[in-house]
């Protein structure tokens, strides 16, 4: 697991500290499926190699978060950015397009 810098907003695992003031661009809201619990804030990490998959969220691990949680993409700037990154065509998309048949 990657260790992050312990700051005022999050600990070395990337867990957001209670009462931390963060821009909505820095986190994604999630709720546990089949629960009445309030939203939880999960730190959004742009670089998957720096993500602590399980404490933080990135494009590579969001699917595993979605197994147990509802990810509320539309409620924060970070959530909308994550949704856009997931919807963007991958860099390999051009390589995987079928070749046109010769006439």
């Amino acid at each position: 697991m990657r260790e992050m810098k312990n700051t005022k907003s999050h600990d070395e695992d990337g867990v957001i500290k209670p009462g931390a003031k963060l821009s909505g661009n820095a986190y994604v809201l999630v709720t546990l499926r089949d629960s009445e619990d309030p939203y939880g804030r999960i730190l959004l990490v742009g670089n998957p190699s720096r993500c602590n998959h399980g404490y933080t969220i990135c494009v590579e691990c969001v699917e595993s978060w979605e197994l147990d949680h509802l990810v509320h993409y539309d409620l924060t700037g970070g959530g909308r950015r994550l949704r856009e990154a997931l919807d963007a065509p991958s860099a390999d998309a051009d390589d995987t397009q079928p070749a046109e048949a010769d006439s």
Side-chain angles (χ1 to χ4, degrees):
M1 179 182 329
R2 302 243 183 238
E3 190 168 300
M4 302 178 103
K5 185 175 180 181
N6 189 354
T7 68
K8 289 182 184 179
S9 64
H10 60 78
D11 67 16
E12 60 278 351
D13 292 323
V15 176
I16 299 173
K17 294 178 178 176
K21 304 263 189 246
L22 288 173
S23 162
N25 290 322
Y27 63 90
V28 177
L29 291 173
V30 299
T31 51
L32 200 55
R33 289 189 184 276
D34 304 321
S35 172
E36 298 296 320
D37 290 342
Y39 296 117
R41 298 184 301 171
I42 306 301
L43 192 65
L44 176 62
V45 178
N47 183 344
S49 67
R50 298 194 50 137
C51 184
N52 284 338
H53 312 297
Y55 295 106
T56 55
I57 194 167
C58 72
V59 295
E60 287 185 357
C61 67
V62 68
E63 287 182 11
S64 64
W65 276 98
E66 289 178 331
L67 295 173
D68 297 322
H69 296 82
L70 295 173
V71 179
H72 302 281
Y73 296 103
D74 57 333
L75 297 181
T76 64
R80 289 185 292 276
R81 280 194 358 240
L82 181 57
R83 178 80 266 162
E84 288 173 10
L86 291 169
D87 291 343
S90 69
D92 298 331
D94 292 335
D95 298 334
T96 59
Q97 295 297 322
E100 289 186 25
D102 292 335
S103 37

